[in-house]
Amino acid sequence: MSSADPPSGVLPSDVILLILARLPVKSLFRFKTVCRSWYRLTSEKHFIMLYSLTSLHKPIVLLEVMEPANPIPSFLSVDRFDAASCFSLNFLEDRVKVRASCNGLLCCSSIPNRGVFYVCNPMTKEFRLLPRTRERPFSRFHPDYEETLVGLSFDTCSWKFNVAVAGFCRPFGRRPYEELVCMVFDSETNSWTRFVSSFYDEFTHMNRNQVVFSNNSLHWLTHSCSYVLVLDLRSNVWRKISLPEEIVAVGFCGRIYLLELEGTVSLIQILGVWLYIWALKDYDREHWVLIDRVHLRCILGFAASAFPVCLSSDVVFLATQRKILTYGRKNKVWKEVFSVGDNVAYPLWFSAHPFRSTLFPCDQGVQF
């Protein structure tokens, strides 16, 4: 054994890093007290990137559970191994609603203070309060555009994030104008950019929740499911992506949902007793590929009320009224991983977001 080799019974530092990168965040922070090098680990960029890579294949569903007797919601994270853990957003010191999720960060809007947004990492309890979207306060006599769409993007290479808030201008007591007003926040400049586009479409509650960040763009599926609406964050331009020809040919039958598949845009179509998974393999040519087909015979009793909420190469998460179900794409096994009683105010799919644990900060590139 050379002098460079570790002493007998001591693991090499690279192996220790790989072990620590697979720990839950709570355990990792608890082990920071072991030694100084471990204490600094969670703030070192190479380890943060390593931790992100290991968590990419460990998706989590984030649930916001509201009980009729309690006006303050409780937050739960559910993984594929029957593990449900509570976490809190009390460090924001505000009553908030989760609006979007991206690479371990959350975008939350203040409930009592309209126009106030936070970007936070619930695992590290770091957050950033964004400047108000407007100086003049909201009032019923001067209503502004409604926040129809809220999206969050986080670049894992530059650690820059953007928040997009968009809605249709609606004067008080009238139908919305065919003008989509959008404001995009840039974490590097700490400012909002406002622009207006002339078109109108509608979005369901699930459409608003299921926003996908890919190719420096945010993606939403419209209520008609006739196309994917895309906001290019490099040029602040809206455009459209067509759905797979097979879906268009049958007249957009069934239910269609937009999800992220490990950095790419994907679609899930529930048609009859089948669940189809599509992936946008060639983004520039808008080429979709059918990558999986799942029979729903094992969950026929829940199929009509099951909503896909999270997707990876290994597992699909579906939320029903009271249960979270998973389907293992490799072992072909259905499993119930979480359930609640009848004392919740809303179905679980109403406030379910895809999530994964990361150590990414949200205060990089601040310039005042």
Side-chain angles (χ1 to χ4, degrees), residues 33-137:
T33 58
V34 171
C35 60
R36 291 182 180 180
S37 60
W38 287 20
Y39 183 83
R40 296 191 301 266
L41 206 58
T42 56
S43 59
E44 294 180 357
K45 187 167 185 176
H46 75 279
F47 183 77
I48 293 175
M49 297 300 296
L50 176 62
Y51 197 91
S52 173
L53 290 175
T54 58
S55 69
L56 188 62
H57 304 288
K58 296 187 290 184
I60 299 172
V61 171
L62 181 68
L63 298 174
E64 186 176 354
V65 181
M66 180 74 74
E67 297 180 1
N70 187 2
I72 301 177
S74 58
F75 296 93
L76 299 171
S77 61
V78 181
D79 63 26
R80 62 182 299 188
F81 304 109
D82 300 335
S85 58
C86 299
F87 71 94
S88 172
L89 296 178
N90 291 339
F91 60 90
L92 296 177
E93 297 183 352
D94 196 355
R95 192 157 57 95
V96 298
K97 177 178 178 58
V98 177
R99 303 300 300 269
S101 169
C102 183
N103 289 324
L105 299 188
L106 299 178
C107 176
C108 304
S109 62
S110 173
I111 295 176
N113 302 305
R114 187 177 174 189
V116 173
F117 289 88
Y118 302 87
V119 172
C120 67
N121 186 328
M123 299 293 104
T124 63
K125 293 182 168 41
E126 295 180 355
F127 72 94
R128 183 163 167 189
L129 172 63
L130 308 188
R132 280 184 174 268
T133 55
R134 52 175 286 166
E135 296 299 329
R136 181 163 56 91

Side-chain angles (χ1 to χ4, degrees), residues 287-357:
H287 176 60
W288 296 88
V289 175
L290 180 65
I291 59 174
D292 208 346
R293 190 176 71 155
V294 182
H295 201 288
L296 302 176
R297 57 180 172 271
C298 295
I299 61 163
L300 282 181
F302 302 104
S305 61
F307 294 81
V309 293
C310 188
L311 174 65
S312 74
S313 57
D314 297 325
V315 65
V316 184
F317 285 83
L318 292 93
T320 68
Q321 294 281 113
R322 301 287 183 262
K323 301 178 185 294
I324 299 294
L325 308 174
T326 61
Y327 174 77
R329 296 182 56 195
K330 295 181 178 179
N331 59 15
K332 313 293 183 183
V333 173
W334 287 96
K335 190 177 181 181
E336 178 186 319
V337 294
F338 180 73
S339 64
V340 294
D342 297 329
N343 59 336
V344 294
Y346 299 103
L348 291 181
W349 54 260
F350 189 81
S351 55
H353 298 270
F355 187 72
R356 63 188 181 97
S357 297

Side-chain angles (χ1 to χ4, degrees), residues 111-357:
I111 295 176
N113 302 305
R114 187 177 174 189
V116 173
F117 289 88
Y118 302 87
V119 172
C120 67
N121 186 328
M123 299 293 104
T124 63
K125 293 182 168 41
E126 295 180 355
F127 72 94
R128 183 163 167 189
L129 172 63
L130 308 188
R132 280 184 174 268
T133 55
R134 52 175 286 166
E135 296 299 329
R136 181 163 56 91
F138 292 92
S139 71
R140 69 184 301 269
F141 300 105
H142 298 90
D144 209 78
Y145 58 92
E146 297 177 348
E147 297 157 2
T148 305
L149 303 175
V150 177
L152 171 65
S153 70
F154 181 81
D155 190 319
T156 57
C157 296
S158 65
W159 292 7
K160 168 188 174 182
F161 70 82
N162 295 98
V163 175
V165 179
F168 296 99
C169 183
R170 171 155 62 179
F172 184 72
R174 300 183 181 180
R175 69 179 299 274
Y177 291 152
E178 293 185 358
E179 289 184 349
L180 183 62
V181 182
C182 184
M183 298 189 68
V184 177
F185 176 81
D186 189 317
S187 63
E188 294 182 337
T189 62
N190 197 50
S191 61
W192 295 87
T193 301
R194 185 180 187 272
F195 60 97
V196 182
S197 304
S198 298
F199 78 95
Y200 179 77
D201 212 317
E202 296 180 353
F203 302 86
T204 66
H205 180 82
M206 289 298 291
N207 294 153
R208 300 180 188 186
N209 278 357
Q210 294 180 330
V211 51
V212 173
F213 173 61
S214 179
N215 287 70
N216 291 307
S217 301
L218 293 171
H219 305 74
W220 291 270
L221 188 65
T222 60
H223 175 57
S224 61
C225 296
S226 54
Y227 62 89
V228 176
L229 182 64
V230 183
L231 173 59
D232 190 328
L233 295 171
R234 293 163 295 191
S235 56
N236 287 343
V237 173
W238 294 96
R239 66 185 187 90
K240 301 177 181 179
I241 291 181
S242 302
L243 268 58
E245 294 181 358
E246 292 82 351
I247 294 180
V248 177
V250 297
F252 308 101
C253 292
R255 294 182 286 139
I256 305 173
Y257 303 94
L258 185 73
L259 294 175
E260 178 193 1
L261 177 56
E262 298 173 356
T264 62
V265 181
S266 68
L267 289 172
I268 288 186
Q269 180 190 28
I270 298 179
L271 181 60
V273 295
W274 288 97
L275 182 147
Y276 302 91
I277 303 176
W278 300 82
L280 188 57
K281 291 296 186 179
D282 192 326
Y283 191 85
D284 295 328
R285 297 183 180 181
E286 300 183 12
H287 176 60
W288 296 88
V289 175
L290 180 65
I291 59 174
D292 208 346
R293 190 176 71 155
V294 182
H295 201 288
L296 302 176
R297 57 180 172 271
C298 295
I299 61 163
L300 282 181
F302 302 104
S305 61
F307 294 81
V309 293
C310 188
L311 174 65
S312 74
S313 57
D314 297 325
V315 65
V316 184
F317 285 83
L318 292 93
T320 68
Q321 294 281 113
R322 301 287 183 262
K323 301 178 185 294
I324 299 294
L325 308 174
T326 61
Y327 174 77
R329 296 182 56 195
K330 295 181 178 179
N331 59 15
K332 313 293 183 183
V333 173
W334 287 96
K335 190 177 181 181
E336 178 186 319
V337 294
F338 180 73
S339 64
V340 294
D342 297 329
N343 59 336
V344 294
Y346 299 103
L348 291 181
W349 54 260
F350 189 81
S351 55
H353 298 270
F355 187 72
R356 63 188 181 97
S357 297

